[in-house]
Amino acid sequence: MTAPSSPTPPLQFPSHPHPRTWFLTSAASALGIAVARAVLAHGDDTVLCVEPEELSLLTRARGLTNGHKTLFSGSNGLGAGPGSERAEEFVRFVTDEVDTVEEWRTRCRVVGLDGSIIGQCQAAVAQAVVAFGKIDILFCCSSEGTFLFHSPDYRSLPDLAVIGTVEELAACPRTLTLIREQFETNFFSPVNIIKAALPAMREKRAGHIIVLTGITSHLGTPGLGIYCASGWALEGFCDSLAYEIAPFNIKMTILQPNLEINVLTNKVSSAPLLPAYSPLTHPAPLSRSIIGGLLDRLSPDAPSSPSHESSSFTDGSLPSEHLPQSLHSTDKIEIVYPSLPPEMKSALLAETIHALVAVGGHENPPGRHIVGFEAVASVKEKLKTVSEELEDFVEVSAAVDIEESGEEYGTGG
């Protein structure tokens, strides 16, 4: 993946007479930072929600000479650890960009938010209303925290993308916990935040809720069953909620970018590989191998797993050295933080940012906004398959209609 050769077109925001207030639920993520930068440059107000520990990290940096440089280096600094690049990126964005431009500083608030705690969701919404009087656009872009990655307990944090077949994720108590954590991050946290924001939006009889999911919420993806399930659950919630809030002039949009946005810009966990699902013996193109191959190209020095050399995995059809090295451990949960070059990250995020700001606060936004040609083509193919299957079995489907009289079943008078 490389940066586009043609210049990136300018962002197109819907016309509006006054600055809007954006509420970003995971502002420390790569997407959150990019959206905040675009929104502030446009002249809108922003509330940047980060984990409470990330807020403490930012407070420390603001109180130090040379800010983030002192905090992330030297014997007293946080140093280089899992997720440190992301934590530093957010702190650097606030201290070097937001704090140094007076107009940005007055139109930006950073608040602590743990989406799993409803009280913190309500408190963050209250701070936004006190600061700017309203929330016009709530952007739920779920992500895991970054500061906690420096703690020995960082491995117990929720994951945005959990990779593994259904059997692999049901193999032991720890992998079952990954399932619950996946739903906590991708379903319950956005639900808590949305519920907390609705009273303020109802009072103003205006607002736009935008929820980031992915095309995996349209398409079942082998090896990402739990990840897909959490997205489908959230979309079912949003589809139902859209009808409930429409009378209050509150709009709902589900934003569906390509899989790479959520996988390559966030924490990824992989359940231990079961031999039956090894790419050496299993013909289905599982996400583990596809994503693992991408991670190998991003990190050429990724350690190999001893299991790749196991004779029990080899049937002669595929040399073991052709296996991706990342995400193929057979004895442990693997946790990966993809490290993208800045130009690659910008190119990866560009489509989603353009799609987001084009509909954010729109008078008549789409219920679903699919991002990019590849994503649109994938969804069209899925809808075509569903339509063809419906037509193939339409006579069978119609034949099961039960007569109103119920006489067939002896329930008549």
Side-chain angles (χ1 to χ4, degrees):
M1 186 181 304
T2 58
S5 56
S6 59
T8 302
L11 298 175
Q12 298 292 330
F13 287 76
S15 60
H16 51 95
H18 306 289
R20 288 97 45 90
T21 299
W22 291 68
F23 188 99
L24 310 183
T25 64
S26 295
S29 65
L31 180 61
I33 293 171
V35 171
R37 184 180 288 118
V39 167
L40 287 168
H42 178 66
D44 285 345
D45 302 323
T46 60
V47 178
L48 308 182
C49 298
V50 296
E51 294 280 345
E53 292 80 5
E54 292 168 342
L55 181 59
S56 298
L57 180 63
L58 175 62
T59 302
R60 286 176 58 191
R62 282 171 161 170
L64 294 171
T65 304
N66 291 327
H68 66 87
K69 295 179 182 178
T70 301
L71 189 63
F72 287 91
S73 63
S75 58
N76 295 324
L78 293 176
S84 62
E85 291 181 5
R86 300 184 187 192
E88 184 175 5
E89 184 180 3
F90 173 70
V91 172
R92 184 171 61 247
F93 166 66
V94 175
T95 57
D96 291 1
E97 297 183 50
V98 176
D99 288 351
T100 58
V101 180
E102 182 177 358
E103 186 181 0
W104 284 27
R105 187 171 63 250
T106 58
R107 290 191 284 101
C108 180
R109 297 290 185 276
V110 183
V111 301
L113 171 62
D114 180 344
S116 66
I117 302 175
I118 189 63
Q120 288 193 22
C121 299
Q122 294 168 335
V125 168
Q127 291 181 64
V129 173
V130 168
F132 301 114
K134 58 187 172 54
I135 295 175
D136 295 299
I137 303 162
L138 167 61
F139 181 37
C140 292
C141 46
S142 295
S143 179
E144 78 287 341
T146 54
F147 174 71
L148 286 178
F149 296 165
H150 301 282
S151 161
D153 296 328
Y154 76 90
R155 291 179 178 273
S156 65
L157 288 174
D159 308 276
L160 190 66
V162 173
I163 297 173
T165 64
V166 171
E167 277 195 278
E168 288 166 344
L169 286 166
C172 67
R174 181 64 188 99
T175 54
L176 289 171
T177 299
L178 286 178
I179 297 175
R180 289 188 286 270
E181 291 172 348
Q182 181 82 107
F183 273 83
E184 189 66 51
T185 301
N186 291 359
F187 177 73
F188 289 109
S189 289
V191 167
N192 287 342
I193 296 166
I194 291 170
K195 289 191 298 183
L198 283 177
M201 289 183 167
R202 280 194 292 103
E203 183 179 352
K204 297 292 184 180
R205 298 191 72 82
H208 187 187
I209 300 170
I210 305 177
V211 176
L212 181 74
T213 59
I215 60 169
T216 48
S217 298
H218 257 303
L219 315 170
T221 306
L224 283 174
I226 301 304
Y227 177 76
C228 293
S230 64
W232 287 46
L234 183 59
E235 292 207 5
F237 168 84
C238 291
D239 282 343
S240 300
L241 179 64
Y243 292 104
E244 299 170 3
I245 59 181
F248 304 107
N249 194 35
I250 302 173
K251 311 298 195 304
M252 169 69 75
T253 294
I254 296 170
L255 188 68
Q256 296 182 324
N258 280 320
L259 175 65
E260 291 90 338
I261 289 293
N262 286 333
V263 171
L264 295 183
T265 63
N266 289 287
K267 175 186 173 186
V268 177
S269 289
S270 175
L273 173 69
L274 289 179
Y277 292 99
S278 166
L280 297 173
T281 58
H282 193 272
L286 297 177
S287 299
R288 182 192 299 276
S289 294
I290 297 170
I291 297 172
L294 285 172
L295 294 176
D296 282 355
R297 289 196 289 274
L298 291 172
S299 303
D301 296 327
S304 61
S305 169
S307 63
H308 298 162
E309 301 174 359
S310 172
S311 59
S312 63
F313 277 52
T314 306
D315 61 0
S317 61
L318 181 66
S320 61
E321 61 267 20
H322 289 180
L323 280 172
Q325 296 179 339
S326 300
L327 310 181
H328 279 72
S329 172
T330 59
D331 58 0
K332 65 181 179 179
I333 293 173
E334 289 190 73
I335 299 176
V336 180
Y337 305 89
S339 181
L340 303 180
E343 63 278 5
M344 181 181 292
K345 184 183 296 184
S346 297
L348 186 63
L349 297 173
E351 285 185 348
T352 300
I353 295 170
H354 276 72
L356 170 66
V357 302
V359 302
H362 197 284
E363 184 177 345
N364 187 28
R368 271 178 177 75
H369 195 27
I370 301 169
V371 181
F373 175 81
E374 181 183 342
V376 170
S378 297
V379 172
K380 280 186 173 181
E381 185 63 29
K382 170 62 181 291
L383 295 177
K384 177 184 176 183
T385 300
V386 172
S387 179
E388 290 174 349
E389 289 181 346
L390 180 64
E391 291 302 321
D392 288 343
F393 291 91
V394 65
E395 293 184 2
V396 177
S397 298
V400 301
D401 285 349
I402 300 174
E403 304 243 348
E404 288 186 9
S405 65
E407 290 181 0
E408 255 185 76
Y409 299 93
T411 56

